[in-house]
Amino acid sequence: MPESTSATLAALASQVPHHEARILLAHVLGVDLGRLLLAPAPSAQQRDLLDALVVRRLRGEPLQHLTGLAPFRTVELEVGPGVFIPRPETEVMTGWVLDRLGECTIPRPRVVELCAGSGAITKALATEHPDADYHCVELSPEAYDYLTRNLDGLGVDARLGDMADAFGELDGQVDVVVANPPYVPLDHWADVPAEVRDHDPTLALVSGDDGLDAMRVVAAVAARLLRPGGWVAAEHAEVQEASAPAVFVAQGSFTQVSDHPDLNARPRYVTARRGGRMAP
């Protein structure tokens, strides 16, 4: 007698965590998670594919690489080798940006994402707050390929290049800059989980001895791009609760420098406001 979907799920959950079992089974069956238990039992071919995915997962390959998708807030991203997998921790910073956009009195605020990777932040922002002009830049050609696919149809100005000299034509005209830059200190590399070290691109992870090389560039670029009163938000490592905000203080262009926790109450992102007199 063919194995039922429920029985398949139970067997699968004995090998990988239950939530991963549900995602893998739904992926193989081509159904939404909410309709998983109503789906027909997997065919022999689907069972073989499922077994192969479990083997890959048990070898440490990220779940998101197996399905090719990663959820982020209200959207879903295409991901795979060569692009950083978006994490739930970044959703909190994205929500903070949405709050600032909601307070903005400018008809169509201008937003720039630096170190955009898969485009997760910009896609979430453009989906949840479409009444804004979005721009983003990514250095890696491999990641940029995912970025353009994920942002297709959203009207985002997405560019391949170095954030250090990106969007010169927007200097002093941007309302919000947001970034999830690489921030792992070299001396903390051994502390990074093996799944992350082995499968996320090093370019998106490591940033100098103290992990703040990219953050210093973010601060400089934000100071250049933002109008007076504009905001910047940037994610950082848990150990950079004091050092990441200090980068924005030292840059000299910012006021209201603050640090914020993530979903697990761990220090996760810094925000700052561009100083100077706002235009009337």
Side-chain angles (χ1 to χ4, degrees), residues 138-190:
E138 169 54 40
L139 180 62
S140 162
E142 293 81 10
Y144 182 74
D145 186 45
Y146 288 100
L147 176 108
T148 54
R149 295 204 300 272
N150 286 322
L151 298 179
D152 184 45
L154 291 174
V156 176
D157 172 19
R159 304 186 190 183
L160 175 65
D162 192 329
M163 65 172 167
D165 54 12
F167 304 114
E169 74 281 9
L170 299 181
D171 285 357
Q173 303 174 49
V174 175
D175 299 286
V176 181
V177 171
V178 60
N180 182 10
Y183 52 68
V184 176
L186 282 175
D187 58 0
H188 282 260
W189 180 244

Side-chain angles (χ1 to χ4, degrees), residues 29-86:
L29 294 176
V31 299
D32 293 334
L33 278 175
R35 299 187 60 82
L36 179 58
L37 295 182
L38 300 176
S43 66
Q45 184 179 14
Q46 288 171 328
R47 182 74 233 195
D48 289 343
L49 174 58
L50 192 58
D51 290 342
L53 291 176
V54 170
V55 169
R56 290 169 61 188
R57 182 67 185 117
L58 293 175
R59 289 174 178 169
E61 194 167 342
L63 178 67
Q64 296 89 341
H65 283 193
L66 303 183
T67 64
L69 297 171
F72 187 81
R73 287 186 64 92
T74 60
V75 301
E76 201 167 50
L77 288 303
E78 288 188 39
V79 296
V83 69
F84 182 77
I85 297 170

Side-chain angles (χ1 to χ4, degrees), residues 224-241:
R224 170 172 62 82
L225 290 176
L226 288 170
R227 63 172 178 81
W231 289 97
V232 57
E235 186 169 319
H236 62 71
E238 185 177 345
V239 297
Q240 295 162 342
E241 179 181 11

Side-chain angles (χ1 to χ4, degrees), residues 72-75 77 90-102 108-114 119-136 151 154 156 176-179 233:
F72 187 81
R73 287 186 64 92
T74 60
V75 301
L77 288 303
T90 310
E91 295 182 7
V92 179
M93 179 177 70
T94 305
W96 184 93
V97 173
L98 285 166
D99 289 342
R100 300 294 77 72
L101 292 176
R108 285 189 65 86
R110 184 172 285 119
V111 181
V112 170
E113 182 186 4
L114 309 174
I121 294 174
T122 294
K123 184 172 184 179
L125 294 175
T127 301
E128 297 183 49
H129 191 100
D131 193 21
D133 291 327
Y134 293 99
H135 310 258
C136 62
L151 298 179
L154 291 174
V156 176
V176 181
V177 171
V178 60

